[in-house]
Amino acid sequence: MSDGDVGLLSPVSASPAVAALTGDRAVLAAILAVEAGWASVLEKAGLAPAGSAAVVDAAADVDRYDVAGIAVRAQGGANPVIPLLADLRAEVKALDTDGVGAGGVGALRAVHTSLTSQDVLDSALMLLAGNAVSALLLDLRGSTTALAALAEQHADTLCVGRSLTQHSLPFTFGLKAAQWFHGLAAAARRLEAVELPLQTGGAAGTLAAATVLTRDSVDTPFDLAGNLAAHLGLAAAPGPWHTNRLAVTALGDALTAVTDALGKIASDVLFLSRPEVGELGEPRAAGRGVSSAMPQKQNPVLSVLVRSAALQAPNLAAQLHLAAANFNDERPDGAWHSEWPAFRQLLRLALGSAGHLRELAEGLQVFPAAMRRNLELSGPLLLSEGVSAAVAPLLAERDGHSGKQQLQDVVDRTLQAPPAEKAATYRRLLREAVPVSALPDERLEELLDPASYLGQAGEISRRVLAAFPDFARTPTETDPNGGPRG
């Protein structure tokens, strides 16, 4: 049994998949991958003995290392790279059975040469982030695909729009789903565009040690950095970014934009799934949504978890910016260290909430009858804006009141009627205010039909989906001409 942190108090991200991508073991594996990659680059450049990269690669197996022990020993140098390097060198020396340098000294020349701890850890966290973002984007695409389908399926499903908590105008659930899609697809596209750069700068960001290392080589320090970036699948930076933290804050902001978009959807579902509203329902699953005290409850826990992540993420992004603003000198004294937990927790929250939102979107229950029932609570008053725009020009000024003022008076008098009588009262007062000759009954009924006052709802949905075609369908969807369109 482990006494480590397994997410007991963070259920939104407590999953083996999230842990595999962001846990301490994943961090250690990423650090080792950077060190092994550097050894490979040095050997290919002729700056390390032949065969040394294979020895370092074998030694870079994360299962060889005591993660918990390294974490405790990291207090001695204020970062985990230092104790890990000691263990890695010991493993390389022990594994050098083929005589790559006497007693492993040759292979050891390929370990960490000309690098500094920040080079390795920054690059490792970018590598960790790249793996996490790839998994995250898969879930985001699953969600946007489901939302696009809902937008198309419910393009004509009437519901009520709400503004400042009150009924505003007729709406469609298709447009609501399209707006959810828009926010999430835009955030996913932004995340997809974030550049994750390699870090190499040496002790103070001048590449001094790498310059000495490459003195007699055809490769420059920048060539080596570019080769390592390619090896790890990271972007090549024009220079060291030890104290320029835009790479970190840009990713943090993009992740927070994702949790913002996820949180918006969750907040809407939480309201619309209330029993007194009843327009939506979360997908059911055995044992989910139960209460410890009330057997009848079905809590919308997917939305609760997603919203919990959205409420935490902005402060974590703010922590990254606070750290970035305090990266003093050429190597900071604490600001760098304060990045790590916020950076990783943002990845965890985004990964966890995206997975829950995907399940929610793919299994969301929609209840059009409840939407129509709630729409009709406001009755024809919901159409008063459209009525005013169409009818006010038909009315002559009366007692110094314009047509618009007369119609406002009709609304004000209607609002004084008992709730059950409001609809009939509005129709009667409207009919009294506007002669049939100016507004035939057929035209009046048309104006009072919610479906007649949807503006460009359908076209807005169509345009939104068309703007993000790669997020409106699954990556494996087939092109009509025969080939894959992923």
Side-chain angles (χ1 to χ4, degrees):
M1 180 180 294
S2 170
D3 291 327
D5 181 1
V6 293
L8 195 63
L9 298 181
S10 186
V12 65
S13 56
S15 83
V18 174
L21 288 165
T22 63
D24 284 344
R25 190 175 186 277
V27 173
L28 203 67
I31 294 172
L32 289 166
V34 173
E35 293 287 0
W38 185 242
S40 176
V41 166
L42 292 183
E43 182 179 326
K44 288 178 181 177
L47 298 171
S52 57
V55 176
V56 177
D57 187 65
D61 181 354
V62 69
D63 290 331
R64 294 178 176 273
Y65 300 90
D66 174 12
V67 180
I70 290 171
V72 173
R73 290 159 56 209
Q75 297 177 61
N79 77 69
V81 177
I82 295 172
L84 177 58
L85 273 175
D87 294 351
L88 175 61
R89 286 179 171 126
E91 290 291 334
V92 168
K93 188 171 183 178
L95 286 171
D96 192 14
T97 57
D98 293 331
V100 180
V105 174
L108 285 174
R109 287 175 55 193
V111 177
H112 201 69
T113 301
S114 82
L115 298 179
T116 193
S117 298
Q118 189 174 353
D119 291 337
V120 176
L121 190 53
D122 278 351
S123 297
L125 291 179
M126 289 293 108
L127 184 60
L128 183 90
N131 294 331
V133 167
S134 294
L136 175 56
L137 286 168
L138 286 176
D139 275 338
L140 294 180
R141 277 195 160 83
S143 293
T144 55
T145 298
L147 294 175
L150 286 171
E152 293 173 341
Q153 180 183 351
H154 292 281
D156 299 319
T157 300
L158 289 174
C159 64
V160 64
R162 296 173 175 90
S163 173
L164 300 177
T165 76
Q166 303 300 297
H167 286 196
S168 56
L169 292 175
F171 211 73
T172 68
F173 182 65
L175 180 55
K176 183 177 287 289
Q179 295 289 23
W180 290 345
F181 168 90
H182 190 184
L184 193 54
R189 181 177 284 178
R190 175 181 176 184
L191 177 63
E192 197 172 42
V194 170
E195 190 171 78
L196 304 176
L198 180 80
Q199 174 77 278
T200 52
T206 63
L207 291 169
T211 300
V212 173
L213 177 66
T214 58
R215 180 176 299 158
D216 299 320
S217 172
V218 296
D219 290 302
T220 69
F222 303 104
D223 294 328
L224 298 182
N227 292 339
L228 180 58
H231 179 89
L232 296 173
L234 297 176
W241 46 278
H242 285 167
T243 55
N244 172 11
R245 308 309 287 176
L246 184 59
V248 175
T249 57
L251 177 58
D253 291 344
L255 291 169
T256 304
V258 167
T259 59
D260 289 347
L262 297 172
K264 158 61 179 170
I265 299 170
S267 294
D268 280 350
V269 173
L270 285 168
F271 171 75
L272 294 172
S273 63
R274 288 172 179 259
E276 61 271 28
V277 181
E279 296 182 12
L280 297 176
E282 289 198 348
R284 302 287 292 272
R288 186 167 65 205
V290 297
S291 165
S292 65
M294 294 166 281
Q296 84 284 2
K297 287 193 73 180
Q298 285 295 314
N299 297 317
V301 293
L302 292 176
S303 298
V304 167
L305 292 174
V306 172
R307 187 165 186 264
S308 76
L311 294 174
Q312 296 175 67
N315 283 337
L316 296 169
Q319 174 60 46
L320 297 180
H321 283 280
L322 180 63
N326 286 278
F327 260 67
N328 57 309
D329 301 325
E330 281 62 58
R331 296 284 297 283
D333 52 0
W336 179 46
H337 309 74
S338 72
E339 273 185 354
W340 311 336
F343 182 86
R344 178 164 67 173
Q345 184 63 2
L346 264 177
L347 287 172
R348 286 176 165 173
L349 290 175
L351 280 165
S353 58
H356 294 307
L357 197 285
R358 180 176 185 175
E359 183 178 357
L360 173 62
E362 291 179 339
L364 187 67
Q365 300 179 77
V366 181
F367 305 117
M371 293 179 178
R372 185 73 193 212
R373 179 198 68 212
N374 294 333
L375 173 70
E376 292 175 353
L377 289 176
S378 292
L381 276 178
L382 202 65
L383 284 303
S384 60
E385 180 192 69
V387 169
S388 179
V391 176
L394 305 177
L395 299 178
E397 186 173 309
R398 181 187 301 170
D399 299 329
H401 290 172
S402 66
K404 185 174 182 179
Q405 290 171 322
Q406 294 173 50
L407 292 174
Q408 182 63 55
D409 181 63
V410 167
V411 171
D412 293 341
R413 292 167 62 190
T414 301
L415 291 173
Q416 297 174 18
E421 300 175 17
K422 278 187 169 67
T425 299
Y426 182 65
R427 287 176 180 273
R428 176 176 58 78
L429 294 177
L430 191 59
R431 186 72 285 175
E432 291 174 1
V434 188
V436 175
S437 59
L439 184 69
D441 288 340
E442 296 80 5
R443 175 57 177 154
L444 176 59
E445 290 306 312
E446 180 183 326
L447 289 173
L448 297 181
D449 178 5
S452 72
Y453 199 64
L454 294 172
Q456 297 293 321
E459 179 62 11
I460 293 170
S461 295
R462 188 198 67 76
R463 285 171 173 260
V464 165
L465 298 185
F468 299 88
D470 49 330
F471 287 97
R473 52 180 170 74
T474 60
T476 56
E477 186 176 338
T478 301
D479 186 272
N481 295 323
R485 295 196 304 185

